[in-house]
Amino acid sequence: QVQLVESGGGLVQAGGSLRLSCAASGSFLNIDPMGWYRQVPGKQRELVARVTSSGSTMYADSGKGRFTISRDNAKNTVFLQMNSLKPEDTGVYYCHCNAQLYTWSSTYDVYWGQGTPVTVSS
């Protein structure tokens, strides 16, 4: 019941910047938290950053000081500003969220976007 659509990926030189966006749509009561994961061939999908509806953020060590996650609660949209990009940042970035669907259920189900590729050249 939740669809996540990412955008903003692309090809950029090392040292450049990109801003990823992810918009959630569908039928749900609450969506918390929202975040971004990165996956490269041969490796597991890893958390990059997440943000709660109250604004609490968490970053993986790889992005600390370079990445900033933010959220527009009114539009159910999450952003990832990536600065000083490195070739190691290359991968497919997936939007992620937990969403509460029903008033009578306290369960937050997990949803994933389709992914947006980011390639950082050296």
Side-chain angles (χ1 to χ4, degrees), residues 4-89:
L4 300 174
V5 180
E6 306 103 326
S7 63
L11 175 65
V12 65
Q13 286 189 318
S17 299
L18 288 172
R19 191 179 81 139
L20 308 183
S21 299
C22 172
S25 62
S27 180
F28 50 85
L29 300 177
N30 302 289
I31 182 165
D32 206 20
M34 301 187 77
W36 292 92
Y37 286 70
R38 178 177 61 241
Q39 188 167 28
V40 298
K43 295 185 64 178
Q44 290 186 314
R45 190 174 299 181
E46 297 182 338
L47 175 68
V48 177
R50 63 160 62 102
V51 59
T52 68
S53 59
S54 63
S56 179
T57 60
M58 178 180 179
Y59 297 92
D61 289 341
S62 60
K64 286 183 178 178
R66 300 185 298 118
F67 295 177
T68 302
I69 190 168
S70 60
R71 175 171 174 169
D72 185 337
N73 290 329
K75 295 185 176 182
N76 293 310
T77 301
V78 64
F79 306 92
L80 184 67
Q81 178 68 44
M82 302 188 293
N83 298 325
S84 301
L85 283 163
K86 304 175 181 180
E88 308 93 271
D89 298 320

